[in-house]
Amino acid sequence: MKARFFYFLAAFLFGAGLELSQMTDPQKVQGFLNLTRSWDPSLIFVMIGAILVNSIVYYTWIKKKETPLFSPKFLIPTSKDITPKLIIGSILFGIGWGIAGFCPGPALSGLFRGQSEVFIVVASMLSGMLIYNVIFERILEKS
Amino acid sequence: MTIVNFTPLPALLGGILIGLASTILLVGVGRIFGISGIIGGLFNFDKGDRLWRIIILVGLLVGAFFMHLLANTPDKISALPSSYLIIGGLLMGFGTRLGSGCTSGHGVCGLSRFSIRSIIATVSFMAAGVVTVYFLNI
């Protein structure tokens, strides 16, 4: 039960942060990516704020702990392999990010607006994820 | 290049909230706040692993709505035509699963731990996004 509260609290703060920073607005995102013409650097400040908090707590506290508070172990990725999957996937994501102006978090948190455009981008995103899971992952498993 | 529409204070404060959120998830239950992985995992056909993912989804929406009321953020956002949203959405969904993360998992959580994979991923998707916006003239 306590774990469920933590999931909710973390997601609540995350959604609030995305909304406050206006990263839910595709114009802010595409303004950031429009580096070569008229640039909106706001997204850099979002990342600085988030990374500062995360890094300070991670290096001063979490790294020294054996287990999280309400779960048996930390599930932190440890791989250092730079694979074609990682790079090709990230490039495809970046292209989609540029075209639509949404990344997964702001697309989902923006659903509360009940706006058809947000539903379209979320439905397309979930379809892309499903395509990956159903088709691509099975092909990779077989090969 | 000119600087436009820059909103440093809400961006920084929003970022701090996002940092607190991902720190709480890591300290509390030991998980990385990677949204594409959390939501994409709903398609893993493992029913026992679904509830927490749905709690996260609900929390994101409730938190965003709460901040919308508190900070009086816009009621409507202006998005591009549906063709852009569909193609962009498909690429974003597929790409984040193939690349094991998005702006939250790689860009925020991974960079905070100086993960080499996340640094490579973040540079790749940001560069791809800048090039895409340049050529589409968005």
Side-chain angles (χ1 to χ4, degrees):
Chain A
M1 201 61 221
K2 274 182 186 157
R4 282 179 200 169
F5 172 75
F6 266 77
Y7 284 124
F8 182 81
L9 177 68
F12 181 92
L13 291 173
F14 207 108
L18 287 173
E19 187 61 28
L20 180 62
S21 65
Q22 280 301 290
M23 291 301 117
T24 43
D25 181 350
Q27 288 195 329
K28 293 292 281 181
V29 172
Q30 282 160 336
F32 170 74
L33 295 174
N34 197 6
L35 183 64
T36 51
R37 288 180 286 254
S38 44
W39 189 42
D40 176 357
S42 306
L43 194 145
I44 290 281
F45 275 58
V46 181
M47 293 192 66
I48 289 171
I51 290 171
L52 268 181
V53 176
N54 273 342
S55 282
I56 291 169
V57 182
Y58 181 74
Y59 285 103
T60 57
W61 194 40
I62 296 174
K63 247 194 143 180
K64 293 170 189 155
K65 282 172 68 76
E66 297 280 313
T67 61
L69 298 176
F70 303 110
S71 181
K73 61 175 182 181
F74 282 109
L75 301 165
I76 300 175
T78 51
S79 169
K80 289 184 166 34
D81 300 337
I82 309 302
T83 59
K85 269 183 78 178
L86 177 78
I87 296 172
I88 295 167
S90 298
I91 289 173
L92 291 178
F93 162 48
I95 295 171
W97 194 35
I99 295 175
F102 285 96
C103 55
L108 291 164
S109 74
L111 281 172
F112 81 86
R113 289 196 162 79
Q115 219 179 315
S116 59
E117 288 95 331
V118 186
F119 283 103
I120 291 170
V121 84
V122 167
S124 309
M125 174 185 89
L126 294 176
S127 306
M129 290 177 167
L130 191 62
I131 291 169
Y132 173 78
N133 267 48
V134 175
I135 304 169
F136 204 81
E137 208 159 54
R138 282 183 193 170
I139 295 169
L140 278 186
E141 270 169 21
K142 277 178 195 159
S143 62
Chain B
M1 190 249 286
T2 48
I3 303 282
V4 292
N5 303 326
F6 186 31
T7 51
L9 193 61
L12 190 65
L13 292 176
I16 289 171
L17 281 176
I18 291 169
L20 284 175
S22 31
T23 290
I24 285 173
L25 198 67
L26 195 54
V27 171
V29 294
R31 283 185 189 275
I32 297 299
F33 210 129
I35 293 178
S36 56
I38 292 171
I39 299 305
L42 284 170
F43 297 122
N44 279 345
F45 308 110
D46 177 3
K47 286 189 177 138
D49 190 44
R50 274 191 192 153
L51 180 64
W52 72 272
R53 299 176 193 270
I54 291 168
I55 295 173
I56 295 249
L57 179 59
V58 173
L60 277 174
L61 276 155
V62 176
F65 183 59
F66 175 81
M67 185 53 80
H68 168 64
L69 298 177
L70 190 73
N72 205 11
T73 55
D75 287 331
K76 293 273 174 202
I77 45 163
S78 51
L80 289 169
S82 300
S83 53
Y84 285 74
L85 300 177
I86 293 169
I87 297 167
L90 282 168
L91 283 170
M92 167 179 93
F94 186 85
T96 49
R97 295 300 283 147
L98 184 65
S100 315
C102 59
T103 339
S104 54
H106 282 314
V108 169
C109 298
L111 290 196
S112 301
R113 302 191 318 277
F114 299 97
S115 151
I116 184 67
R117 273 173 61 86
S118 293
I119 293 167
I120 300 274
T122 306
V123 170
S124 304
F125 65 68
M126 286 203 169
V130 168
V131 170
T132 303
V133 167
Y134 177 77
F135 281 111
L136 290 180
N137 207 357
I138 290 168

